Amino acid sequence: MPSQPRELRLASRPDGAFEAANWEIAESDVPEPADGEFLVDVTHISVNPAMRGWMEDKPSYVPPAELGEVFPAGGVGRVRASRHPRFADGDLVFGAFGLREVALSSGRGLLIIDPDAAPPETWIGPLGDTGLPAYFGLLEVGAMEAGDTVVVSAAAGAVGGIAGQIARIKGGRAIGIAGGPEKCRHVVEELGFEAAIDYKSESVSERLRELTGDHGVDVYFDNVGGQILDDVLINLAFGARVVICGAISQYDTTGTWRGPANYWQLLVKRARMEGFLVLDFAKKFPAARAEMLNWIADGSLMPSGEVVDGSLEDFPAALRRIFDGANVGKLILRI
Amino acid sequence: MPSQPRELRLASRPDGAFEAANWEIAESDVPEPADGEFLVDVTHISVNPAMRGWMEDKPSYVPPAELGEVFPAGGVGRVRASRHPRFADGDLVFGAFGLREVALSSGRGLLIIDPDAAPPETWIGPLGDTGLPAYFGLLEVGAMEAGDTVVVSAAAGAVGGIAGQIARIKGGRAIGIAGGPEKCRHVVEELGFEAAIDYKSESVSERLRELTGDHGVDVYFDNVGGQILDDVLINLAFGARVVICGAISQYDTTGTWRGPANYWQLLVKRARMEGFLVLDFAKKFPAARAEMLNWIADGSLMPSGEVVDGSLEDFPAALRRIFDGANVGKLILRI
């Protein structure tokens, strides 16, 4: 419990690829909880690719992070100095604390997690930031059904790895797209996808045609955008659903993004492309978490991820690992 | 009734813009109807922008037109030499006869039309090729509801003009996008759109922001693709529906189409983009025609269009008029 806790603030907006110098470390005083408040010692920080978008001063689904302010982040921490009736000292809580070592909270939007059911990294990942978008994107937005051919890009990534596993559990054919033989091996051997396409060494379009034949792709869970989105669009099945969850190939682009030239296939195949925000499904989170805890308990869902030990200063390098394609599964910075 | 009827065949595929030389005229013998067949003297040919796509040897929603074969086309004609129990000599029929003066038919897929209810050009347009896509695209795919802000591109065109009128009739705000002051005047004064944006002289994106404010566009009925699609995407309302009906700005493109760079707004606004083929709604055609006949009868739906008198040789020039933006409403070639 630091006497002079630190925080990481956005110092400047990136011009193309982001750098460590876009953030600055700062010290803050320990806040004094009022009635109905408490402190949280942050222990785990969720590192996710969407954070790249929050650095931009562009209209998006969340307001841009403000220059000079603490950068937003989700994570897990431990309650202390509680003056709140429902949060006791020592409780583990999952919420949006920002990149800070100590947070003041009224409890709003926080979930008390049970470390006996799953460790903090599983609550952040499969039961939180990564599992919930995978679950609702695939099953609600993508309306996936048993027998569907499901393609997932960034399949070795945090969200993609869960999406493909849920597709398998729900009786679909899961085909992953990932970069490099090691990630492809992970996707098939450890996550149980039926097949994986290495976009760095194979033609995604040709391999999809081989793998899905005349039928094509019923559900595409897109985390990347760019060329791969076009490669999948040209292989859609009739009535296909394209779920827009991310566009990691485009986030570092300065100027105009690359749009999907093959969007016309939406007409050819009577298909739809749809975006979503997981918070729209918040009322269904408890039921989804219960179902996923069962899958984790019976071994059908593997909570894949990577925990990096470090301090706040290590956050930019951790985020860079995702954009360099260096990580597998959910990345968490443990303070 | 020509003794040596003629037909127009696809002679070559265009490289960029099409030319009259891409078709060739040919004579054919008058076919002899067998039992259950009859002849049709074609009197009206539907000229529509989708025909440009049929000239390409690319996978699309219909097989490409074959070189050396009669080019596909819909139209109206009169039955003669009938040996079919349900089609009598003199009946007017609406169907896909191809670019020919005399067609042999088994009656399959043909609709007997009532010239007292509406003239042939209305059956081809508002009650056929243009009205049905407008009706089902807007109401079923776009799920338009009263109070929605509806934007229609190519609003002075055959499908767009009907789509905007249906939006108005169903209690929506209809905003049209069209090229030039005369088309914009037509859209507002004659078709009853609330407003029109002249994409040739105005910034579509800025004007949409002025007209739709913080709310944005609930339904976009897209006939054009390209820059205008991007301009509308950046102005979507939450939960918006983008209906892909056409992409006339792209049909003449050689090589790669321009994809919508702002497709990311589908995520930002939890919106969807969806294509459709009107034939998927064939079971509902009679009910839609009945509703539209009522609107035409009570004067709320204006069957806007243009009839060009000519012969088969005039077809390429007629199709060119659409791509030059020279026509208003449904274009029909009367033989």
Side-chain angles (χ1 to χ4, degrees):
Chain A
M1 80 182 68
S3 63
Q4 196 72 6
R6 299 178 315 152
E7 55 191 39
L8 206 59
R9 299 173 180 168
L10 186 64
S12 58
R13 301 197 189 277
D15 179 24
F18 64 86
E19 299 169 353
N22 292 127
W23 289 272
E24 64 190 356
I25 203 95
E27 295 195 334
S28 64
D29 291 328
V30 177
E32 187 68 37
D35 252 9
E37 293 183 334
F38 52 89
L39 298 181
V40 177
D41 289 322
V42 176
T43 57
H44 296 73
I45 288 171
S46 170
V47 184
N48 76 65
M51 290 169 144
R52 174 65 185 81
W54 307 344
M55 300 179 76
E56 298 284 341
D57 188 16
K58 282 181 188 164
S60 187
Y61 58 92
V62 289
E66 298 287 342
L67 289 175
E69 300 289 324
V70 176
F71 197 73
V76 163
R78 190 174 293 278
V79 173
R80 69 172 158 103
S82 178
R83 300 181 60 188
H84 192 295
R86 292 192 299 105
F87 291 82
D89 284 12
D91 279 352
L92 285 182
V93 284
F94 172 41
F97 305 115
L99 289 179
R100 43 165 68 93
E101 292 172 340
V102 177
L104 180 70
S105 175
S106 67
R108 199 164 158 243
L110 294 203
L111 180 73
I112 298 177
I113 64 175
D114 175 4
D116 293 332
E121 48 270 31
T122 297
W123 283 98
I124 293 178
L127 302 174
D129 291 358
T130 64
L132 295 172
Y135 185 96
F136 291 102
L138 182 71
L139 301 179
E140 299 262 346
V141 186
M144 184 228 147
E145 295 182 351
D148 277 350
T149 296
V150 177
V151 170
V152 179
S153 56
V159 178
I162 307 271
Q165 291 187 82
I166 296 175
R168 164 176 52 73
I169 292 166
K170 290 286 189 180
R173 286 186 70 194
I175 298 173
I177 302 172
E182 174 50 30
K183 285 187 178 178
C184 286
R185 190 202 59 75
H186 169 75
V187 161
V188 172
E189 293 183 13
E190 287 162 35
L191 303 183
F193 284 58
E194 182 181 308
I197 301 172
D198 179 359
Y199 74 86
K200 292 186 174 172
S201 67
E202 300 182 286
S203 159
V204 172
S205 175
E206 282 174 27
R207 286 284 289 139
L208 279 177
R209 193 173 313 266
E210 287 168 19
L211 287 165
T212 72
D214 289 337
H215 179 76
V217 177
D218 296 300
V219 179
Y220 174 44
F221 193 102
D222 185 28
N223 293 303
V224 302
Q227 178 63 46
I228 290 174
L229 173 53
D230 269 330
D231 288 339
V232 182
L233 283 171
I234 206 75
N235 284 291
L236 291 185
F238 283 96
R241 289 82 69 196
V242 177
V243 182
I244 303 295
C245 180
I248 197 169
S249 75
Q250 303 296 302
Y251 294 154
D252 264 351
T253 302
T254 51
T256 307
W257 282 25
R258 172 192 166 141
N262 290 336
Y263 84 100
W264 184 245
Q265 294 297 316
L266 298 177
L267 185 145
V268 174
K269 298 295 175 58
R270 294 90 145 158
R272 71 167 188 257
M273 177 151 71
E274 187 163 0
F276 73 105
L277 286 184
V278 72
L279 283 178
D280 295 340
F281 300 97
K283 285 185 182 159
K284 297 181 176 179
F285 283 179
R289 285 193 176 106
E291 191 169 13
M292 287 196 284
L293 269 171
N294 284 339
W295 293 336
I296 292 171
D298 72 15
S300 51
L301 181 69
M302 195 183 92
S304 148
E306 192 178 326
V307 175
V308 175
D309 284 303
S311 66
L312 282 183
E313 286 94 334
D314 299 309
F315 168 79
L319 184 59
R320 175 50 60 199
R321 281 177 62 76
I322 296 181
F323 282 79
D324 291 344
N327 71 306
V328 166
K330 177 63 193 169
L331 186 62
I332 286 166
L333 179 62
R334 184 163 51 194
I335 305 291
Chain B
M1 82 183 65
S3 65
Q4 196 72 11
R6 299 179 314 152
E7 56 192 39
L8 206 59
R9 299 174 179 166
L10 187 63
S12 58
R13 301 197 189 277
D15 179 23
F18 63 87
E19 299 170 353
N22 292 127
W23 288 273
E24 64 190 355
I25 203 93
E27 296 194 332
S28 63
D29 292 328
V30 177
E32 186 68 39
D35 255 9
E37 293 183 335
F38 52 89
L39 298 181
V40 177
D41 289 323
V42 176
T43 57
H44 297 72
I45 287 171
S46 169
V47 185
N48 75 66
M51 290 169 144
R52 175 64 186 82
W54 308 343
M55 301 179 76
E56 299 285 341
D57 188 15
K58 283 181 189 163
S60 188
Y61 58 94
V62 290
E66 298 287 342
L67 289 175
E69 300 288 327
V70 176
F71 197 74
V76 162
R78 191 174 293 277
V79 172
R80 71 173 157 101
S82 178
R83 300 182 61 189
H84 191 295
R86 291 192 299 105
F87 293 81
D89 285 11
D91 279 352
L92 285 182
V93 284
F94 172 42
F97 305 116
L99 289 179
R100 42 164 67 94
E101 291 172 342
V102 177
L104 179 70
S105 175
S106 67
R108 199 164 156 243
L110 295 202
L111 179 73
I112 298 176
I113 65 175
D114 175 5
D116 293 332
E121 49 270 31
T122 298
W123 283 99
I124 292 177
L127 303 174
D129 291 359
T130 64
L132 295 172
Y135 184 97
F136 292 102
L138 183 70
L139 301 179
E140 299 262 346
V141 186
M144 184 227 147
E145 295 183 351
D148 277 350
T149 295
V150 177
V151 170
V152 179
S153 55
V159 177
I162 307 269
Q165 292 187 80
I166 295 176
R168 164 177 51 73
I169 292 166
K170 290 286 189 180
R173 287 186 70 193
I175 298 172
I177 303 172
E182 173 49 30
K183 285 187 177 178
C184 286
R185 190 202 59 74
H186 169 75
V187 161
V188 172
E189 294 182 13
E190 287 162 35
L191 303 184
F193 284 58
E194 181 180 310
I197 301 172
D198 179 359
Y199 74 87
K200 291 186 175 173
S201 68
E202 300 181 287
S203 159
V204 172
S205 176
E206 283 173 27
R207 285 285 289 140
L208 278 177
R209 193 172 313 265
E210 287 168 20
L211 288 165
T212 72
D214 288 337
H215 180 76
V217 178
D218 296 299
V219 179
Y220 174 45
F221 193 102
D222 185 29
N223 293 303
V224 301
Q227 178 63 46
I228 291 175
L229 174 53
D230 269 329
D231 288 340
V232 182
L233 283 171
I234 205 75
N235 283 291
L236 291 185
F238 283 97
R241 289 81 69 196
V242 177
V243 182
I244 303 295
C245 180
I248 196 167
S249 75
Q250 303 296 303
Y251 294 156
D252 265 352
T253 303
T254 51
T256 307
W257 282 24
R258 173 193 165 139
N262 291 337
Y263 84 100
W264 184 246
Q265 294 296 316
L266 297 177
L267 185 145
V268 174
K269 298 295 174 58
R270 296 91 146 157
R272 71 166 188 258
M273 177 151 69
E274 186 163 1
F276 73 105
L277 286 183
V278 71
L279 284 178
D280 295 341
F281 299 97
K283 285 185 182 158
K284 298 181 176 178
F285 284 179
R289 285 192 177 108
E291 191 169 13
M292 288 195 283
L293 269 171
N294 285 338
W295 293 335
I296 292 171
D298 71 16
S300 51
L301 180 68
M302 194 183 91
S304 148
E306 190 179 327
V307 175
V308 175
D309 284 303
S311 66
L312 282 183
E313 287 93 333
D314 299 310
F315 168 79
L319 184 59
R320 174 50 59 199
R321 281 177 61 77
I322 296 181
F323 282 80
D324 290 346
N327 71 305
V328 166
K330 176 64 192 167
L331 186 61
I332 287 166
L333 178 62
R334 184 162 53 191
I335 304 290

